[in-house]
Amino acid sequence: MEPEPDLIKMRDEIFRKIGRNLLNFQKIEFMLKHLITYGRISGYMSELKENQERRAATVHKQTMGNLVGQFIDNTLLGLDDSSRLITEPKEPYLSFSFTVSADADFYERKKQGLKSLVDDRNDMIHHLLPRFNSDSIESCLEIGKYLDEQRERLIPEYDHLQSLIKSLNINIEFLKSEEGIKQVSSQLELSFLQNSPLVLLLLNISIQQPRSDGWTLLSNAGQQIRHILPEELVRLKSGYRCKNIKELLKASELFDINEEPTDKGGVRVLYRPKPELGYGAFNRVLNSLLVTSRRTARADGWSLLNTAGQEIEQFLAEDLALVKEKWGYVSLKEFIMESGLFDVVEEQVDKNNICELFRPKAEFVPH
């Protein structure tokens, strides 16, 4: 017996809706792969192409569930740690990331929406056809309603990913443009300069040996440079493209520069790290911790972290706030641990309480 025309029409409509939803799921999967692959670019300039090809090959093999997890971590939370910290770059190093800044409510909505999307996709692929009776009008109506509701759930996520793709592609196209290449090259040169041996030594001298007003004599710094890094001074023009150390200070964009008259009618050049960058604040907090640890240490060498925290909050609250802002530290304890200069332990005070202790690492203690 031939099926009724209405049933044939409804059955064909079901298959059309299945194809429609499946195509949308495939588009979403493609967009996730694109965002994960090109939302993070990092490496030495000579390695970038190989790095991206390797990343694309890895992402291409991921399941929908894994893609959603990576997207949530990398794009919504920015947790991807594939960009390594470069302390002594051998050549220009580029790091680009595309992330979404949003509040906790937005993050939770997207997280749940995308995970529901994975469940919907898996249900349609693996469980829909076994429960679909193609000879039943009632089943056609039920499955048709299910597929329409599924489409309504995926459209907001589809539109959101599509908008992110558009934004990412705009950024990528800019980076490829003449103006983008010019800006990237300028930033790479500045980063390379700021991490160069000469600039780091100038920074260290200004932090460790300032006058009481916070300024450092450039002539004194120059004498130390000639003693410590004479080979870098020889490269000042060829390697740094600067005529003198003062020009290097300006080019690095890390320092304030000032001049003051001398008793003999001349001028002396002074410099200091720009206060808003937080280098001076970082050093003052660090020195305070070292002083407190020496002054309050118990017989076993440990000091109460709470005591150090109270003193810093009393005398260096603004410095600590600036350090947290510029370096992203959540607490004084995190700052201490990340500095690499101290050991930190917990000690049981009583059944319900513990205290945190710190001390300078053995290699930094004078003998």
Side-chain angles (χ1 to χ4, degrees):
M1 181 177 177
E2 293 293 327
E4 297 179 6
D6 287 347
L7 179 59
I8 295 174
K9 184 177 179 180
M10 294 178 71
R11 182 191 299 161
D12 290 343
E13 181 65 7
I14 292 300
F15 291 137
R16 185 192 69 79
K17 289 181 178 180
I18 290 175
R20 175 198 65 193
N21 287 13
L22 180 60
L23 179 61
N24 284 331
F25 281 125
Q26 288 176 335
K27 289 180 178 179
I28 287 173
E29 184 174 335
F30 172 80
M31 288 190 286
L32 287 169
K33 288 179 177 179
H34 186 85
L35 287 165
I36 294 169
T37 299
Y38 298 104
R40 297 271 166 169
I41 300 173
S42 63
Y44 288 114
M45 296 297 288
S46 61
E47 301 173 348
L48 282 180
K49 183 179 179 180
E50 182 182 345
N51 288 353
Q52 284 309 109
E53 289 175 351
R54 189 185 307 116
R55 186 178 181 89
T58 301
V59 171
H60 180 71
K61 301 175 184 177
Q62 301 299 313
T63 64
M64 183 81 156
N66 288 336
L67 290 171
V68 165
Q70 289 182 58
F71 172 78
I72 290 171
D73 288 344
N74 299 355
T75 307
L76 296 186
L77 289 180
L79 298 181
D80 190 324
D81 60 355
S82 60
S83 298
R84 59 194 179 200
L85 179 62
I86 303 299
T87 55
E88 296 184 4
K90 62 184 181 182
E91 61 175 280
Y93 186 93
L94 175 67
S95 178
F96 165 83
S97 63
F98 179 83
T99 58
V100 177
S101 298
D103 58 26
D105 289 340
F106 177 87
Y107 163 74
E108 284 299 327
R109 287 198 308 273
K110 286 301 166 190
K111 180 180 178 182
Q112 294 305 318
L114 288 167
K115 289 190 174 181
S116 296
L117 205 67
V118 175
D119 294 338
D120 275 346
R121 184 256 188 197
N122 290 340
D123 183 63
M124 190 185 77
I125 297 297
H126 301 294
H127 306 294
L128 179 64
L129 289 181
R131 66 175 185 262
F132 172 44
N133 182 356
S134 61
D135 294 325
S136 166
I137 291 179
E138 289 75 15
S139 180
C140 287
L141 290 172
E142 179 186 346
I143 296 299
K145 180 183 178 183
Y146 165 84
L147 291 169
D148 286 339
E149 291 174 348
Q150 185 182 74
R151 178 180 182 274
E152 290 303 311
R153 289 193 296 272
L154 71 81
I155 287 300
E157 307 308 329
Y158 181 98
D159 289 343
H160 179 241
L161 291 173
Q162 196 170 49
S163 70
L164 294 182
I165 290 282
K166 183 177 180 180
S167 297
L168 174 60
N169 288 345
I170 289 173
N171 280 279
I172 291 175
E173 287 304 312
F174 172 74
L175 290 175
K176 293 179 179 178
S177 70
E178 184 177 345
E179 180 62 25
I181 292 172
K182 182 179 178 181
Q183 286 196 22
V184 170
S185 298
S186 176
Q187 288 299 315
L188 286 172
E189 288 180 8
L190 179 60
S191 177
F192 204 69
L193 190 65
Q194 290 177 343
N195 289 279
S196 64
L198 267 183
V199 171
L200 291 177
L201 180 55
L202 283 163
L203 182 62
N204 186 58
I205 292 170
S206 67
I207 291 173
Q208 299 292 336
Q209 304 170 29
R211 301 189 315 192
S212 59
D213 59 2
W215 292 93
T216 300
L217 283 169
L218 183 56
S219 58
N220 289 347
Q223 291 175 6
Q224 295 188 54
I225 289 172
R226 280 188 286 272
H227 177 69
I228 299 171
L229 292 174
E231 69 284 356
E232 291 297 312
L233 276 181
V234 174
R235 296 181 59 249
L236 194 56
K237 291 183 180 180
S238 61
Y240 293 82
R241 291 189 250 181
C242 295
K243 296 178 182 177
N244 50 50
I245 296 177
K246 182 179 178 181
E247 190 173 303
L248 177 64
L249 290 172
K250 291 180 179 178
S252 74
E253 300 183 9
L254 295 178
F255 305 97
D256 290 329
I257 301 173
N258 196 11
E259 293 181 351
E260 66 179 17
T262 65
D263 295 337
K264 296 182 179 181
V267 294
R268 59 170 64 99
V269 179
L270 310 168
Y271 78 103
R272 69 179 181 187
K274 290 183 177 180
E276 63 269 22
L277 298 180
Y279 291 110
F282 188 101
N283 191 62
R284 287 189 292 272
V285 172
L286 201 59
N287 284 336
S288 175
L289 289 167
L290 290 168
V291 170
T292 301
S293 68
R294 288 195 293 267
R295 179 170 50 81
T296 65
R298 305 183 313 195
D300 59 4
W302 293 98
S303 299
L304 286 169
L305 180 56
N306 185 53
T307 300
Q310 289 175 351
E311 293 192 5
I312 288 174
E313 286 294 340
Q314 182 178 357
F315 300 108
L316 296 172
E318 291 185 3
D319 283 344
L320 181 59
L322 181 59
V323 167
K324 287 181 178 180
E325 176 189 349
K326 294 299 180 183
W327 277 271
Y329 297 122
V330 176
S331 64
L332 180 62
K333 179 182 178 181
E334 184 181 3
F335 169 82
I336 289 174
M337 296 178 69
E338 290 294 324
S339 73
L341 299 179
F342 301 93
D343 294 317
V344 179
V345 298
E346 292 182 348
E347 182 177 78
Q348 196 76 35
V349 177
D350 53 42
K351 188 175 181 179
N352 299 315
N353 297 288
I354 61 171
C355 67
E356 295 175 323
L357 305 170
F358 77 105
R359 69 180 180 188
K361 289 182 179 292
E363 58 265 35
F364 299 115
V365 177
H367 296 288

